[in-house]
Amino acid sequence: MLSFTFWDILSNLLLAARWTVLLSLIAFVCGGVVGLLVLLARVSRSAVLRKLSGYYIEAFQGTPLLMQLFLIFFGLPLVGIEVTAWLAAVLALTLFTSAFLAEIWRGCVEAVPRGQWEASESLGMTYFEQMRHVVLPQALRISIPPTVGFSVQVIKGTALTSIIGFVEVTRAGTMITNATFQPFLVYGLVALIYFVLCFPLSFYAKRLERRLHVAR
Amino acid sequence: MSLVKLQGIRKSYGSNEVLKGIDLTVNEGQVVALIGRSGSGKSTLLRTINGLEEINGGALEVDGEMLRPGHTNLRALRMKVGMVFQQFNLFPHLSAIENVMLAPVVVKKQNKAEAREVAAACLAKVGLADKEKSYPDQLSGGQQQRVAIARALAMQPRVLLCDEITSALDPELVNEVLNVVRKLAEEGMTLILVTHEMRFARDVCDNLVFMHGGKIREQGEPEQLFAAPATAELSQFVGSVAFH
């Protein structure tokens, strides 16, 4: 019988953790880009765009990420689009992230005082000029702590992609457990890896929050 | 020559009519104060003049730019009308000079070097040449309000609207702002102010407009208006305000 050293277990988990990190990064960047578009629709002057983006956000916030993954992974092949586990994971996490970020950022845009809109309006700026030069730069400052905080949710969310067979750190843990029969050790290490990834981010988010509260 | 002309301006919030047909003419170089109790509609009236409040009836004209109910393209009007607010509303992420430069660069497409020169001159005019690089939160209320005036001036407006611009200031900072306004008046700037500073209104304004219940009740030269109010509302109002 094969035997596994502690180092074997850890090194295989760390190799798989690369995919967790990569998936998180892609989901966060793509989700951020899509989220920005959804945000612009959400705070636009068009009632139709506001409504549609509202539905989009509600749909992704109101259903479990796991269901979104299943619907993409099992649903798209039904209409003739083959998706790999990797593509389904990226797609689902991007959509999920974009909806949450759009909603977080909407709160930040609305936190910019009305007087800022009035002052820039009275100077003759158009809506887009107001957004670009006055509102978004201020909203950006406010948004950094909650955005960094949310990135932790994205990292933990990637664990769900193990269920559709994407081999990231959770899936690797399951496979190694099946071979070593040491679930406590293996899953303990998996949890530790998540913690090492997430803790610095939430710590940083809290510090930013404190700092931006006192600064301009 | 008339610069600002309001005709039958009406404005309602739902079923509550706050402006009930206002006619007012302001000539070039005139300094006009809108006075009256809070709720009389004076701030709302001021805000209609650059389109911050949409009007429901009537028409207004500023230096040839017409505004009627339902108009949405207000850029041309707003380039002729500057506005200073009670709460300053400076852009907190920009330094004083960047606050003043922003609109000329973005709206008037001035190049940055030119805009910076104009902005520096505007800041010097309000006595803040040494504060170009300061951010709003590093300035006192009076300094912030003076930057706000410089910001409005940089667009070279034909008329400047001041909406209770000293009401949010500590008493000892009121005069530095009023002195700037006084200087603008002396230089011939057309000004329309909503103010509670009655002494300032009496000393500086050519014309006082007393509003009551969404209408203009009386108007005329300050001395005459204060000395001999024609209506009970105005004599009551004059009796209730202190000339500090």
Side-chain angles (χ1 to χ4, degrees):
Chain A
M1 186 182 150
L2 271 168
S3 71
F4 294 87
T5 64
F6 177 79
W7 176 244
D8 287 332
I9 295 173
L10 186 62
S11 61
N12 278 295
L13 287 178
L14 285 175
L15 285 176
R18 289 180 310 175
W19 294 104
T20 296
V21 171
L22 187 65
L23 183 59
S24 303
L25 279 176
I26 293 177
F28 201 71
V29 171
C30 296
V33 172
V34 179
L36 189 62
L37 296 176
V38 178
L39 166 73
L40 290 177
R42 192 78 187 96
V43 297
S44 80
R45 286 187 168 168
S46 147
V48 178
L49 280 179
R50 279 204 307 272
K51 220 168 202 158
L52 285 178
S53 53
Y55 291 148
Y56 177 91
I57 291 168
E58 289 302 326
F60 287 100
Q61 286 197 336
T63 55
L65 175 58
L66 187 58
M67 291 308 121
Q68 296 159 23
L69 269 170
F70 280 171
L71 286 174
I72 289 172
F73 189 61
F74 298 117
L76 286 185
L78 291 181
V79 292
I81 307 169
E82 285 305 319
V83 283
T84 60
W86 167 243
L87 184 62
V90 166
L91 209 56
L93 279 166
T94 296
L95 295 174
F96 168 82
T97 306
S98 69
F100 275 86
L101 285 180
E103 190 64 4
I104 289 171
W105 293 343
R106 181 189 62 82
C108 299
V109 166
E110 283 174 5
V112 174
R114 219 177 108 84
Q116 296 290 310
W117 287 97
E118 290 190 346
S120 46
E121 202 177 331
S122 74
L123 288 166
M125 290 188 205
T126 63
Y127 178 78
F128 281 102
E129 289 164 354
Q130 289 177 290
M131 270 290 181
R132 157 82 181 77
H133 297 285
V134 176
V135 177
L136 287 183
Q138 293 181 60
L140 185 71
R141 292 186 67 84
I142 314 173
S143 74
I144 292 170
T147 303
V148 174
F150 179 72
S151 66
V152 169
Q153 302 301 320
V154 177
I155 295 177
K156 293 192 291 187
T158 59
L160 287 172
T161 62
S162 64
I163 296 174
I164 57 167
F166 180 68
V167 184
E168 36 63 76
V169 69
T170 302
R171 178 74 176 175
T174 306
M175 289 155 68
I176 294 170
T177 299
N178 288 341
T180 62
F181 307 110
Q182 289 183 293
F184 187 75
L185 173 69
V186 175
Y187 286 126
L189 287 172
V190 170
L192 196 64
I193 290 172
Y194 279 115
F195 187 79
V196 167
L197 290 174
C198 294
F199 178 73
L201 285 172
S202 41
F203 180 77
Y204 183 56
K206 281 210 188 72
R207 260 194 38 184
L208 279 174
E209 205 164 329
R210 255 190 320 235
R211 215 176 62 200
L212 292 182
H213 262 282
V214 287
R216 301 181 257 291
Chain B
M1 188 203 128
S2 82
L3 185 66
V4 178
K5 204 168 183 179
L6 312 183
Q7 280 177 318
I9 297 289
R10 287 180 179 278
K11 166 75 187 173
S12 310
Y13 295 110
S15 61
N16 180 24
E17 193 170 47
V18 291
L19 296 179
K20 299 172 180 169
I22 304 278
D23 298 309
L24 178 68
T25 303
V26 177
N27 292 331
E28 192 155 7
Q30 241 186 346
V31 180
V32 175
L34 308 178
I35 59 172
R37 292 186 191 292
S38 57
S40 59
K42 54 194 193 305
S43 271
T44 308
L45 179 63
L46 193 74
R47 290 159 56 88
T48 61
I49 300 176
N50 74 345
L52 276 181
E53 300 285 347
E54 207 180 312
I55 54 177
N56 304 115
L60 69 87
E61 189 179 337
V62 178
D63 192 28
E65 289 297 331
M66 291 290 288
L67 180 70
R68 288 205 164 85
H71 266 205
T72 49
N73 187 6
L74 301 168
R75 198 164 170 122
L77 174 74
R78 284 177 175 152
M79 284 171 72
K80 302 202 169 187
V81 184
M83 178 130 183
V84 184
F85 299 85
Q86 182 177 351
Q87 299 295 339
F88 329 140
N89 297 342
L90 290 182
F91 306 132
H93 60 298
L94 300 177
S95 66
I97 193 145
E98 289 166 341
N99 261 279
V100 180
M101 287 169 62
L102 182 66
V105 170
V106 169
V107 178
K108 282 189 161 174
K109 316 290 179 210
Q110 273 181 12
N111 74 51
K112 282 205 172 172
E114 188 187 337
R116 185 173 289 272
E117 238 169 76
V118 174
C122 290
L123 280 175
K125 188 167 197 166
V126 299
L128 291 174
D130 56 334
K131 298 288 182 188
E132 287 186 6
K133 293 199 171 70
S134 302
Y135 281 84
D137 65 348
Q138 298 166 327
L139 299 171
S140 73
Q143 291 170 332
Q144 289 190 51
Q145 193 60 295
R146 287 188 281 153
V147 174
I149 293 171
R151 178 175 71 178
L153 292 178
M155 291 296 280
Q156 289 156 333
R158 298 299 311 275
V159 50
L160 188 64
L161 311 177
C162 300
D163 190 5
E164 298 192 29
I165 61 170
T166 56
S167 300
L169 295 176
D170 292 335
E172 73 271 20
L173 302 176
V174 168
N175 275 332
E176 66 182 61
V177 172
L178 290 183
N179 287 340
V180 168
V181 177
R182 198 186 304 263
K183 201 167 90 184
L184 291 176
E186 281 162 11
E187 287 171 7
M189 183 82 198
T190 310
L191 292 159
I192 305 178
L193 334 150
V194 169
T195 185
H196 294 296
E197 302 286 337
M198 286 306 140
R199 179 203 281 274
F200 179 79
R202 190 182 57 190
D203 295 349
V204 176
C205 297
D206 308 306
N207 206 0
L208 291 193
V209 175
F210 173 64
M211 290 187 66
H212 187 84
K215 286 182 178 156
I216 293 179
R217 200 42 85 80
E218 278 188 60
Q219 58 176 311
E221 287 172 17
E223 289 302 339
Q224 165 205 341
L225 216 60
F226 283 134
T231 61
E233 287 87 4
L234 180 57
S235 59
Q236 214 176 22
F237 179 76
V238 170
S240 70
V241 293
F243 283 82
H244 46 73

